[in-house]
Amino acid sequence: MIDFTRILEDIEPSEDEQKKIEKLSDKLIDIINTNAHDKGFSARAVLLGSVAKNTWISSDNNGDVDIDIFIKFPLSTSLEDLKAQGLELAYYCIETVGGTYEERYASHPYLTGVIDGYPVDLVPCYDIQQSTELKSAVDRTILHTEYVRKNLKNNQEKEVRLLKRFMKMVGTYGSEFKVGGFSGYLCELLIIHYGSFLQVLQKVCSEWKPGYQIDLMKFGTADLFSDSLVVVDPTDKNRNVSAALTLQKMAEFRVAAANFLENPKKAYFYPKEISYDVKAIRVEFEKRDTHSLILTFPAPNIPNDALHPQINKTGNSLVKILETGDFSVLDNDCWTSEGNDNEENKVWILLEMNTWHLPNYKKHYGPRVWDDDNAKRFIQKHPASWVEDEWWVTLTKREHQDAESLIKGTLTKVGIKNLRVGKHLKKKILNNYELLTVSDLLVQEELDEKLLKFMYCYLHKHELLTR
């Protein structure tokens, strides 16, 4: 087995970085608490999350540092006062230090921004002591932080960092909908349960199957859940910590763990070097002898966790419409551009077709020959019908002979009624969509490098799980 010392040296925060984060956190907390006192608000800011638990990874090495400042209010505070006073304190704090920010919404509004180069969340919440007092989903972060700090043993922070880092590098870390992977809190619970990074990998390979259960507090409530993995929240017996984990990411993590145990390499803890160019990607798509289409349109300005479910819903519905129309879809995927200051972010839905062109006519089955009334009407409508076994059969002309025609017909004011499209996407699609073949796309100039990487990874799904 490899020596993790050098890896930990790379991913653990340096003493200087820890001091910088601690100083910044203390400064923000002091600003909020002083302002709350001056205004007579019953609020107190505290540091929570991975920084408070000392399980964060250095920002110098593609880390996950996120300073989570929660502004706690007594349970007697009305929700209206919590929102208004909490946001007032958050805005004052981040404007005082000159940070950039935007307002987002979880169970209620909060601020997310960047201060001195570090991501910061300023979140109003209720000061709960147990899960039965929960008033909003964000409140439980208090309980999670307290549980991990009490139950994570000395030096197990290192094990958490190794697990997080490994998951991130093989593409299974992150509970947001776009990823569907493991959350930081779930990683911490796995280390508390199994003891070490290697034990997690070994147990995943030897024991985990869909529906596998972990109940640290032995609440006995695991059977209430039917998710891919069940990890009962030790602070709330009625919650599955791994509810956001997809079966896909659970399976990918199992494969990556087995690959690592069979052939341990330090490379699993560092970004995989991916070499690609437009010409090579174009050649690979041509070799597959399929027909790949790209549907692209402007992304609505909504949070990612609201956007990506709508994109998946739209893509999956398009696949169903195509296959109902007798076209065969080999595979599909989606991607969104992010962080382009000078351009509107866009959605890209990739549809790779096995069958994309069909004959002009198709066989249409009518009623059984014994069904005289319906058979008579069928024959009157289709005089050239014939009998196959006990069925009347005829040929009917297809409305759409090629996949592009069907997609374009669907993306009209009338046709879109048949598409299960996300409500925020519908207007964007109708107003401004493009439907391109991958071949046409890949001859365009100045393509987004991240889009090219997405297409490369689509063609090479196996590569991220091994080194």
Side-chain angles (χ1 to χ4, degrees), residues 40 56 68 104 124 165 202 207 291 303 342 415 425 460:
W56 56 289
D68 297 319
R104 290 188 183 171
R165 181 66 173 189
Q202 289 164 3
E207 296 181 359
H291 186 68
N342 299 321
L425 272 57
H460 300 267

Short mmCIF file of all heavy atoms in Angstrom, two decimals, residues 40 56 68 104 124 165 202 207 291 303 342 415 425 460:
data_model
loop_
_atom_site.label_atom_id
_atom_site.label_comp_id
_atom_site.label_asym_id
_atom_site.label_seq_id
_atom_site.Cartn_x
_atom_site.Cartn_y
_atom_site.Cartn_z
N GLY A 40 -30.07 45.38 18.37
CA GLY A 40 -31.00 44.73 19.29
C GLY A 40 -31.59 43.45 18.76
O GLY A 40 -32.65 43.01 19.21
N TRP A 56 -11.65 20.14 6.01
CA TRP A 56 -11.58 20.77 4.69
C TRP A 56 -10.22 20.52 4.05
O TRP A 56 -9.23 20.24 4.72
CB TRP A 56 -11.87 22.26 4.78
CG TRP A 56 -11.00 23.05 5.73
CD1 TRP A 56 -11.02 23.00 7.09
CD2 TRP A 56 -10.01 24.01 5.38
NE1 TRP A 56 -10.09 23.87 7.61
CE2 TRP A 56 -9.46 24.51 6.59
CE3 TRP A 56 -9.53 24.51 4.16
CZ2 TRP A 56 -8.45 25.47 6.61
CZ3 TRP A 56 -8.54 25.48 4.20
CH2 TRP A 56 -8.01 25.94 5.40
N ASP A 68 -18.57 28.56 6.23
CA ASP A 68 -20.00 28.57 6.50
C ASP A 68 -20.27 29.30 7.81
O ASP A 68 -20.02 28.75 8.90
CB ASP A 68 -20.55 27.15 6.58
CG ASP A 68 -20.42 26.40 5.27
OD1 ASP A 68 -20.66 27.01 4.22
OD2 ASP A 68 -20.05 25.20 5.29
N ARG A 104 -29.21 33.69 -2.55
CA ARG A 104 -29.76 32.42 -3.00
C ARG A 104 -30.84 31.96 -2.04
O ARG A 104 -31.04 32.55 -0.99
CB ARG A 104 -28.64 31.36 -3.12
CG ARG A 104 -27.69 31.63 -4.27
CD ARG A 104 -26.74 30.50 -4.48
NE ARG A 104 -25.78 30.78 -5.55
CZ ARG A 104 -24.73 30.01 -5.81
NH1 ARG A 104 -24.50 28.93 -5.08
NH2 ARG A 104 -23.90 30.33 -6.80
N PRO A 124 -28.88 32.48 7.68
CA PRO A 124 -29.74 32.58 8.87
C PRO A 124 -30.33 31.22 9.21
O PRO A 124 -30.67 30.44 8.30
CB PRO A 124 -30.85 33.56 8.44
CG PRO A 124 -30.33 34.24 7.20
CD PRO A 124 -29.43 33.25 6.54
N ARG A 165 -10.87 13.57 -0.99
CA ARG A 165 -10.00 13.82 -2.13
C ARG A 165 -10.11 12.72 -3.18
O ARG A 165 -10.21 12.98 -4.38
CB ARG A 165 -8.55 13.94 -1.63
CG ARG A 165 -7.54 14.22 -2.72
CD ARG A 165 -7.75 15.58 -3.33
NE ARG A 165 -6.68 15.90 -4.26
CZ ARG A 165 -6.50 17.08 -4.81
NH1 ARG A 165 -7.32 18.06 -4.53
NH2 ARG A 165 -5.51 17.30 -5.63
N GLN A 202 -12.35 -0.93 1.51
CA GLN A 202 -12.45 -2.38 1.64
C GLN A 202 -13.87 -2.85 1.91
O GLN A 202 -14.35 -3.83 1.32
CB GLN A 202 -11.50 -2.86 2.74
CG GLN A 202 -10.02 -2.76 2.35
CD GLN A 202 -9.08 -2.84 3.53
OE1 GLN A 202 -9.50 -3.03 4.67
NE2 GLN A 202 -7.78 -2.69 3.27
N GLU A 207 -18.85 -5.49 0.99
CA GLU A 207 -20.17 -5.55 1.61
C GLU A 207 -21.27 -4.78 0.88
O GLU A 207 -22.42 -5.21 0.87
CB GLU A 207 -20.10 -5.01 3.06
CG GLU A 207 -19.24 -5.85 3.98
CD GLU A 207 -19.22 -5.30 5.41
OE1 GLU A 207 -19.87 -4.25 5.65
OE2 GLU A 207 -18.55 -5.89 6.26
N HIS A 291 -25.10 8.87 -35.02
CA HIS A 291 -25.46 10.23 -35.45
C HIS A 291 -25.72 11.02 -34.19
O HIS A 291 -26.72 10.80 -33.50
CB HIS A 291 -26.71 10.18 -36.34
CG HIS A 291 -27.08 11.50 -36.94
ND1 HIS A 291 -26.32 12.14 -37.89
CD2 HIS A 291 -28.16 12.31 -36.73
CE1 HIS A 291 -26.91 13.27 -38.25
NE2 HIS A 291 -28.02 13.40 -37.56
N PRO A 303 -30.68 28.75 -9.47
CA PRO A 303 -29.62 27.95 -8.85
C PRO A 303 -29.43 26.61 -9.54
O PRO A 303 -30.37 26.03 -10.09
CB PRO A 303 -30.12 27.77 -7.40
CG PRO A 303 -31.05 28.91 -7.17
CD PRO A 303 -31.71 29.17 -8.50
N ASN A 342 -18.85 37.33 -19.82
CA ASN A 342 -19.22 38.12 -20.99
C ASN A 342 -20.28 37.44 -21.86
O ASN A 342 -20.72 37.99 -22.85
CB ASN A 342 -17.97 38.40 -21.85
CG ASN A 342 -16.93 39.19 -21.07
OD1 ASN A 342 -17.26 40.08 -20.31
ND2 ASN A 342 -15.66 38.84 -21.26
N GLY A 415 -45.99 21.54 -30.33
CA GLY A 415 -45.33 20.26 -30.06
C GLY A 415 -44.76 20.14 -28.66
O GLY A 415 -44.67 19.04 -28.10
N LEU A 425 -37.18 26.21 -18.32
CA LEU A 425 -36.50 25.98 -19.60
C LEU A 425 -37.39 26.23 -20.80
O LEU A 425 -36.91 26.57 -21.89
CB LEU A 425 -35.96 24.54 -19.66
CG LEU A 425 -34.57 24.27 -19.10
CD1 LEU A 425 -34.47 24.70 -17.64
CD2 LEU A 425 -34.21 22.80 -19.24
N HIS A 460 -15.19 8.81 -23.13
CA HIS A 460 -14.23 8.03 -22.33
C HIS A 460 -14.69 7.92 -20.88
O HIS A 460 -13.98 8.29 -19.96
CB HIS A 460 -12.85 8.69 -22.40
CG HIS A 460 -12.29 8.79 -23.77
ND1 HIS A 460 -11.45 7.85 -24.32
CD2 HIS A 460 -12.47 9.74 -24.75
CE1 HIS A 460 -11.12 8.19 -25.55
NE2 HIS A 460 -11.73 9.33 -25.83
#
